Amino acid sequence: MGAGIRILVVMLAVAAAGSGVVAQLRRDYYASVCPDVETIVRDAVTKKVQETSVAVGATVRLFFHDCFVEGCDASVIVVSSGNNTAEKDHPNNLSLAGDGFDTVIKARAAVDAVPQCTNQVSCADILVMATRDVIALAGGPSYAVELGRLDGLSSTASSVDGKLPPPSFNLDQLTSLFAANNLSQTDMIALSAAHTVGFAHCGTFASRIQPSAVDPTMDAGYASQLQAACPAGVDPNIALELDPVTPRAFDNQYFVNLQKGMGLFTSDQVLYSDDRSRPTVDAWAANSSDFELAFVAAMTNLGRVGVKTDPSQGNIRRDCAMLI
Ligand code: HEM
Ligand SMILES: *[C@@H]1O[C@H](CO)[C@@H](O)[C@H](O)[C@H]1NC(C)=O
Ligand SMILES: *[C@@H]1O[C@H](CO)[C@@H](O)[C@H](O)[C@H]1NC(C)=O
Ligand SMILES: *[C@@H]1O[C@H](CO)[C@@H](O)[C@H](O)[C@H]1NC(C)=O
Ligand SMILES: *[C@@H]1O[C@H](CO)[C@@H](O)[C@H](O)[C@H]1NC(C)=O
């Protein structure tokens, strides 16, 4: 490489850093230390999903919560210890399903079982790869992931406050919370389609199906089905499918459901009720390839939120569930 070209490369790197691009994340980050990491993770995740398909939604939601609280740094995986209440034990009762954690722990164990790879791959990156893999296994798009995140050095319940969207949010509230994470309204609409898989507890939509006041934006037949399935309104032990039509397929049915008044949360249905986001819902309900392109772009942006790449900010945990 000539000197002139080398200077150009340096200038481009500086420009990229200045424009907020996370220059350190790269697709081939583990090429020399653990070249087969993506295959190892995919095999472990495939085994887990074959054991229980609940792992699909659980893993995808875990990734979202990880990135929105303290950045994508696996802080959500850490368990509480004697003197610390961790993120996952926030009193909101976020009910993150155990199979998401287990997917990451198993994938990391499979990676660590290869001597060259032991303690070389961060839990944050494992969660990114596992999320990509469960989505592909459920029939969604497969995509290349950026790697090189370090694991966070802390995980506290208090860090969760105000960082995650409640299901009652309207379009402006959703848009501004996602904007705080460098995500556009288009990214937010695309990412919301993760609700094409997985489960929700009755309490998260109970306010929309009160017999005396069913949310007028909800389809009446759907509301009756939900009322029948959640008789006590808020039974914490009952969880229903988020996408009642194709519950296990990662597809664009989510947007078709919204057109029919079959979004489960206020925050889902508002994407269709609000004139500003409805055209995007209609476009992605009609064209699944357009949805998939937008979803992959949005997942890539989500995976860049608050990442730690400087050794002063993070490490590669030996145990994903412990700050060691
Ligand atoms: C836009 C704002 C969002 C709100 C208000 C929201 C809210 C919720 C709520 C209340 C639940 C049910 C939790 C339960 O009762 O157990 C849920 C489940 C879920 N969410 Fe979201 N969410 C949002 C965005 C996202 C995003 C961006 C993703 C991922 C990219 C995501 C992925 C999931 C998945 C996969 C589930 C099912 C979890 C499982 O089956 O264990 N959500 N969400
Ligand atoms: C958003 O991007 C800016 C630079 O454009 C960066 O300084 C900031 O840390 C990013 N925020 C998050 C939450 O990633
Ligand atoms: C919490 O306890 C661990 C040992 O169990 C100790 O290393 C750590 O310093 C303690 N942290 C605080 C904040 O007290
Ligand atoms: C929290 O969620 C778990 C799992 O769904 C449930 O068993 C428990 O009763 C809930 N606790 C509260 C206080 O709602
Ligand atoms: C979906 O959109 C793409 C362009 O992004 C176009 O090539 C394709 O024909 C569209 N498919 C349908 C079914 O309209």
Side-chain angles (χ1 to χ4, degrees):
M1 197 191 277
I5 291 179
R6 200 168 301 160
I7 288 166
L8 179 65
V9 169
V10 170
M11 284 167 57
L12 282 175
V14 169
S19 66
V21 173
V22 184
Q24 295 92 332
L25 293 183
R26 7 181 259 269
R27 289 180 180 179
D28 64 346
Y29 188 81
Y30 295 106
S32 56
V33 292
C34 184
D36 294 330
V37 64
E38 302 209 30
T39 309
I40 300 166
V41 169
R42 190 175 62 236
D43 289 349
V45 170
T46 303
K47 189 159 174 278
K48 175 69 192 179
V49 170
Q50 280 166 355
E51 285 163 14
T52 171
S53 62
V54 169
V56 173
T59 304
V60 176
R61 184 166 180 239
L62 197 60
F63 170 60
F64 168 50
H65 281 221
D66 186 32
C67 295
F68 264 42
V69 181
E70 303 285 315
C72 314
D73 69 347
S75 51
V76 74
I77 316 277
V78 173
V79 295
S80 295
S81 58
N83 54 12
N84 180 51
T85 307
E87 257 177 62
K88 73 192 276 285
D89 295 325
H90 187 273
N92 263 4
N93 203 4
L94 300 162
S95 57
L96 287 161
D99 285 308
F101 298 88
D102 194 49
T103 300
V104 174
I105 302 288
K106 290 216 161 85
R108 173 62 190 261
V111 170
D112 282 349
V114 176
Q116 184 187 9
C117 302
T118 309
N119 297 332
Q120 298 295 322
V121 181
S122 73
C123 304
D125 282 342
I126 300 252
L127 179 52
V128 170
M129 289 183 262
T131 300
R132 180 267 311 275
D133 295 336
V134 296
I135 289 169
L137 285 165
S142 189
Y143 49 91
V145 290
E146 297 176 331
L147 302 170
R149 297 164 192 78
L150 292 176
D151 296 325
L153 302 175
S154 69
S155 172
T156 60
S158 56
S159 67
V160 178
D161 291 331
K163 300 289 170 51
L164 293 168
S168 57
F169 262 16
N170 65 29
L171 187 70
D172 288 320
Q173 292 169 316
L174 291 167
T175 301
S176 86
L177 183 61
F178 277 67
N181 290 285
N182 290 337
L183 298 168
S184 67
Q185 185 174 85
T186 304
D187 288 333
M188 182 275 290
I189 300 167
L191 292 169
S192 295
H195 291 169
T196 181
V197 292
F199 298 87
H201 294 83
C202 296
T204 58
F205 51 87
S207 64
R208 302 187 68 212
I209 58 167
Q210 297 305 304
S212 53
V214 171
D215 184 328
T217 65
M218 184 182 275
D219 173 76
Y222 186 44
S224 314
Q225 283 172 30
L226 296 174
Q227 285 165 349
C230 293
V234 294
D235 185 333
N237 298 310
I238 301 176
L240 304 188
E241 288 156 342
L242 276 158
D243 172 359
V245 181
T246 57
R248 290 187 184 197
F250 202 100
D251 56 14
N252 66 338
Q253 181 67 39
Y254 172 80
F255 298 108
V256 178
N257 291 346
L258 298 186
Q259 291 175 316
K260 296 176 175 162
M262 291 172 70
L264 189 55
F265 305 136
T266 300
S267 61
D268 295 316
Q269 196 57 49
V270 76
L271 302 179
Y272 187 71
S273 313
D274 196 304
D275 293 343
R276 294 168 295 173
S277 44
R278 184 184 299 165
T280 306
V281 171
D282 285 335
W284 292 342
N287 191 322
S288 123
S289 336
D290 284 348
F291 156 60
E292 290 193 348
L293 283 172
F295 180 77
V296 168
M299 286 295 274
T300 304
N301 290 336
L302 178 57
R304 292 175 179 168
V305 174
V307 297
K308 302 169 170 87
T309 52
D310 188 290
S312 68
Q313 306 168 303
N315 61 15
I316 292 176
R317 271 180 226 147
R318 279 178 282 142
D319 180 340
C320 294
M322 313 284 278
L323 292 170
I324 52 165

